[in-house]
């Protein structure tokens, strides 16, 4: 099996990892936080604004992979406060069309840089 790393143009990382890695036709997108890649800082605003930035970052990484949101098959959402689930779900719902990808959501103690939401996903070529 061959694994290739993918770096999205203009995207910043907060650690030693690829924005995505591809293996056997699957693209594994690393967790994206609401970082504004122009400034390297978290976006200002509420949880909805943070979730919207996360999806902009995801689209950037998928685009660098030659993929789109319609190629996503599995999503994992991490929230520092499960009370934000409904607001993030409202943003999430606008990102996909049926059939929706499989998804799980987790409450976590903390996320990098103090983010309130982080999302990672798996996309498939020829899905």
């Amino acid at each position: 099996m061959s694994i290739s790393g993918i770096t999205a143009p203009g995207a910043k990382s907060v650690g030693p990892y690829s924005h995505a890695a591809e293996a056997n036709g699957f693209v594994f997108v690393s967790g994206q936080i609401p970082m504004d890649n122009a400034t390297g800082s978290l976006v200002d605003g509420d949880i909805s604004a943070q979730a919207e930035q996360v999806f902009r970052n995801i689209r950037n990484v998928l685009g660098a992979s030659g993929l789109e949101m319609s190629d996503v098959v599995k999503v994992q959402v991490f929230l520092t406060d499960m009370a934000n689930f409904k607001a993030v779900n409202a943003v999430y719902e606008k990102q996909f069309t049926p059939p929706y990808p499989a998804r799980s959501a987790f409450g976590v103690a903390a996320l990098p840089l103090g983010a309130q939401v982080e999302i990672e996903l798996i996309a498939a070529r020829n899905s």
Side-chain angles (χ1 to χ4, degrees):
M1 173 175 64
S2 174
I3 298 174
S4 60
I6 298 165
T7 301
K12 298 189 183 315
S13 297
V14 295
Y17 57 87
S18 296
H19 298 128
E22 182 169 357
N24 296 330
F26 290 96
V27 175
F28 300 85
V29 176
S30 295
Q32 299 296 305
I33 60 174
M35 185 177 355
D36 178 339
N37 290 317
T39 66
S41 300
L42 294 182
V43 295
D44 290 328
D46 63 7
I47 188 65
S48 295
Q50 286 201 11
E52 288 169 4
Q53 181 64 47
V54 167
F55 280 108
R56 280 191 289 278
N57 294 348
I58 287 170
R59 278 189 165 74
N60 187 30
V61 174
L62 286 173
S65 306
L67 297 172
E68 301 175 345
M69 295 298 282
S70 61
D71 297 307
V72 174
V73 296
K74 173 70 169 114
V75 180
Q76 291 184 291
V77 179
F78 304 92
L79 299 165
T80 58
D81 185 346
M82 289 303 287
N84 288 327
F85 180 81
K86 185 176 180 178
V88 171
N89 205 44
V91 174
Y92 178 98
E93 186 176 25
K94 297 175 190 174
Q95 311 304 314
F96 299 100
T97 57
Y100 297 108
R103 181 183 78 178
S104 53
F106 303 92
V108 297
L111 292 168
L113 304 180
Q116 297 178 61
V117 59
E118 179 173 355
I119 299 174
E120 67 180 32
L121 54 83
I122 302 168
R125 296 211 182 273
N126 306 314
S127 60

